[in-house]
Amino acid sequence: MVIVVDDASNPDVEIKTGKIAGFDLGLKTFLTCSDGTKIESPQFFKQSLNAIKKASRQHSKKLKGSANRERARKNLVRKYEDISNARRDWFWKLAHDLTNRFDVLCFETLNLKGMQRLWGRKISDLAFGEFLQILEWIAKKKGKQIVFIDQWYPSSKTCSNCGHVLEKLDLSVRKWRCPSCQSVNGRDENAAKNICAVGASTVGLDDLRRTLSAIVV
Ligand SMILES: [Zn+2]
């Protein structure tokens, strides 16, 4: 059920869904949702990066102090602006879509330094931090809740079906069978489900009741 609150003093539309979800952030798949849906990273990020590389090469080849170099510099700046605008645009749309679909959205606290070590330079291209900032801002406007769970919680190694915790899980393993309950867990979806469960347990009962009462008319 969807309730649209249309208040002239508050132009923002509030949609109550009564739904909570957990999200796993990744490189190729930008977001994996606990309900199984996946949001792939847009291809244009990669294309724009190639355009920047090319512009950067052209800039460095031009003679210092020349008009050509200045022209190449402006071109490079423009390419940077293009990619950050396109990315921000995509983040806004995604944040609106997610906050329309869910009332409570759970994420792991970002450990950007650790991610950078693990994944290299790409992490800054994806700018998870920027996305979460936009999402938090939109959620606040719409009366939705963003929950961050402890980054040290073993969301990938825990079976979302029975709670069994693996001793280790290699980064390359995309799917694993739980030795305890035999269920097969897709790495990202399993993590998202655990993040959702932990997030739900940290949301106070009052919050849940408020969410639920909002959808019962
Ligand atoms: Zn299990």
Side-chain angles (χ1 to χ4, degrees):
M1 177 176 292
V2 173
I3 298 173
V4 178
V5 179
D6 198 355
D7 181 347
S9 66
N10 176 12
D12 291 307
V13 176
E14 191 173 353
I15 303 170
K16 289 286 179 193
T17 64
K19 284 190 190 156
I20 180 168
F23 298 91
D24 182 65
L25 292 161
L27 285 180
K28 188 170 161 291
T29 303
F30 185 73
L31 276 181
T32 302
C33 178
S34 52
D35 71 3
T37 52
K38 288 173 187 292
I39 313 273
E40 300 299 325
S41 293
Q43 198 54 34
F44 65 75
F45 287 171
K46 210 175 144 197
Q47 284 158 0
S48 322
L49 276 179
N50 289 337
I52 285 179
K53 268 188 214 145
K54 196 176 159 201
S56 170
R57 252 194 330 265
Q58 277 167 350
H59 172 245
S60 60
K61 271 197 293 195
K62 301 284 186 282
L63 197 67
K64 272 188 190 156
S66 70
N68 276 344
R69 189 174 171 101
E70 178 58 14
R71 207 163 24 240
R73 188 190 66 80
K74 280 186 178 149
N75 184 42
L76 180 60
V77 170
R78 202 160 43 235
K79 290 280 189 294
Y80 268 115
E81 284 169 355
D82 284 351
I83 185 173
S84 72
N85 286 341
R87 188 170 63 191
R88 202 171 305 125
D89 218 47
W90 189 72
F91 285 165
W92 276 90
K93 284 192 188 116
L94 182 58
H96 269 295
D97 177 48
L98 293 176
T99 47
N100 284 345
R101 282 165 59 197
F102 304 104
D103 286 343
V104 184
L105 302 97
C106 312
F107 292 84
E108 272 175 318
T109 307
L110 287 188
N111 171 12
L112 285 177
K113 283 218 170 100
M115 282 180 166
Q116 227 149 11
R117 264 200 306 276
L118 211 58
W119 289 338
R121 204 203 86 222
K122 273 184 179 170
I123 183 76
S124 48
D125 302 335
L126 283 172
F128 290 133
E130 187 189 354
F131 169 67
L132 290 175
Q133 245 175 10
I134 290 172
L135 183 66
E136 279 190 284
W137 193 83
I138 291 177
K140 205 171 161 202
K141 279 257 177 195
K142 289 180 166 176
K144 308 288 173 134
Q145 198 177 349
I146 309 292
V147 176
F148 287 100
I149 72 163
D150 192 324
Q151 57 174 292
W152 304 117
Y153 173 74
S155 58
S156 299
K157 291 193 295 186
T158 305
C159 172
S160 59
N161 188 45
C162 74
H164 179 86
V165 183
L166 296 177
E167 258 178 46
K168 65 179 283 220
L169 180 66
D170 205 84
L171 258 181
S172 61
V173 177
R174 306 306 306 162
K175 218 179 233 183
W176 54 279
R177 184 183 290 276
C178 174
S180 177
C181 73
Q182 306 300 315
S183 66
V184 176
N185 296 315
R187 185 194 188 93
D188 300 341
E189 194 180 332
N190 179 63
K193 280 181 182 164
N194 286 326
I195 291 166
C196 181
V198 173
S201 71
T202 66
V203 177
L205 258 186
D206 285 349
D207 291 326
L208 277 183
R209 256 190 230 116
R210 215 175 303 135
T211 302
L212 290 173
S213 66
I215 58 165
V216 178
V217 180

